[in-house]
Amino acid sequence: MRRLAFVVAAAWQGFWRNPAMSVASTLTVALMLVLATFFAITNRGLQQAVALLEQKVELVLYLEDSARPTEILALKSRIEADPAVQSVAFISKEQAIERLRQATERSRDLALGELDNNPLPASLEVKLARAQEAGRLASTLRREEGLGVVSEIVDNPAVVDNLLTITRVLSIGGIAVLVMMLLVTLFVIVNTIRIAVTARRDEIEIMRLVGASDRLIRWPFILEGMLVGAFGAVLALTAIGAGAPAVADALTQFAGIVPLDFSPVFLAQLGGAVFGFALLVGAAGAGWSVRAHLTA
Amino acid sequence: MIALDDVSKCYPNGAYALRDLDLRIETGEFAFLVGSSGAGKSTLIRLLVRDELPTTGRVRVDGADVAKLKGSAVSKLRQRVGVVFQDFKLLPQRTVAENVEFALLVTGHTGRKEAEAAEHALSLVGLAHRRHHFPRELSGGEQQRTAIARALVSHPRLVIADEPTGNLDPVTSWEIIKLLVRVNELGTTLVIATHNADIVNALRRRVIHLDHGRIVRDEREGQYAA
Ligand SMILES: Nc1ncnc2c1ncn2[C@@H]1O[C@H](COP(=O)(O)OP(=O)(O)O)[C@@H](O)[C@H]1O
Ligand SMILES: [Mg+2]
């Protein structure tokens, strides 16, 4: 019990012995955490947007009026066999015109008169399980065009393609920035703890002399690193709490489709993750430093 | 208590501090380690507390081969060996009593019995009345007595002192040596490295003379110089 008190007291004193250095490393940790959080939220929003769009992605194969039902069925089951495909629906000429009627009823200026014959083709509507595959599937299916069954293929996954590209670029760029920030943070913590080790050199020498365990000699520094992490996390979460609503508003206005989720559960998870990550980084930096500067 | 067999110590820079040492010091003995500066006295002491490992040969302290000790066994060895230095090595922010208790605190001995042990060690060195003072408020002799109390508080079987009177005037030096003689009389083995010829000559105890890392003289009731 008193040894625990000793470790805590030593860590606390270590933190305040060199306030400038400790505050600097705390700020670095906080900055990294804010960036990481911003990145995580944005990435999550984008991923949700992609998921939302993925549900809507369709390829439509318009069919020749002359196509025979057996040919259509064969084509349908071939498409269904592709793992990227979720489902394939057959829309007959009658269903197509019915849909058009319903759509035009809602907007009166586009009133549809009686038609002598049905100009709309039957079609196969392909729902995709994985939007990334839309391009590949479309180009495969394009080979069916003009063979007597398929008259035309319409795919419009450009939006999804763009969004996927953005997400990918953001992920790679974000991870690169975060890794760099993480290295900077570790570097600062390692140095903070190195200075703390130097400041307590005499005490460490005496502890060795009287037979204190290595663990007891090391733990105050590890805890000091975790303290830097914890303060950084508190700072970061405060900043995020203060700035999040404004940023969320801006993001929603900028891209209405990005569904930013700020439910209490998500916020709690986020806070926990930020805190845990901060403690981990603090302990890792300190452990590294102690390993390098405290070898007997 | 101490057994060195064919021990040599070569520092990483290639300097040989000790060469082919064979030495036995029995339990309860009182031995002086003499020799000019650089003879290897401090190196020998560092080997005994496993601050350094021998380059060749075997060092045994209290039955254990120090090179074979792992992890907490090293801590346990150091708890059984009290060490005193020329520069006292006290913590300036802690009082006399806290400095002594520190040795118990950081080795996990924190009961009421240990507080009594600290009190007992302080009265043994005659510093009970100074327990709430800080090191800077003490004379050199009092600081060294605090360090001795810290070395004694865990009831070591062996106490090693590296030039314990090096920073003290002759009168105070005598007080410290008399204190160490009393510790020895209470049953603790004592090894003292020293430059103080007067003290060595007056006490007529065992003298182990090191020169350039070799034992050149080992006498039962020796003098500082041959
Ligand atoms: N850490 C060290 N690294 C290299 N050489 C050392 C070290 N400590 C002592 N020496 C050398 O070993 C020899 C013995 O030193 P030391 O044991 O301190 O002698 P003494 O205590 O008798 O003055 C000296 O030549 C000294 O320069
Ligand atoms: Mg020396």
Side-chain angles (χ1 to χ4, degrees), chain B residues 2 6 13 17 19 34 48-49 53 55 73 89 106 112 131 153 179 183 188 205 219 222 224:
Chain B
I2 295 172
D6 210 12
N13 64 2
R19 279 182 194 274
V34 304
L48 295 178
V49 294
L53 288 172
T55 310
K89 299 198 194 298
V106 300
R112 180 151 26 93
R131 66 170 74 82
V153 73
L179 177 58
V183 170
T188 309
R205 297 299 191 106
E219 292 171 345
Y224 185 76

Side-chain angles (χ1 to χ4, degrees), chain A residues 194-215:
Chain A
R194 181 178 59 80
I195 290 169
V197 168
T198 310
R200 279 189 62 217
R201 210 178 25 210
D202 292 347
E203 190 175 330
I204 291 168
E205 186 189 357
I206 294 168
M207 286 176 79
R208 282 233 169 82
L209 193 74
V210 300
S213 68
D214 273 353
R215 266 186 309 164

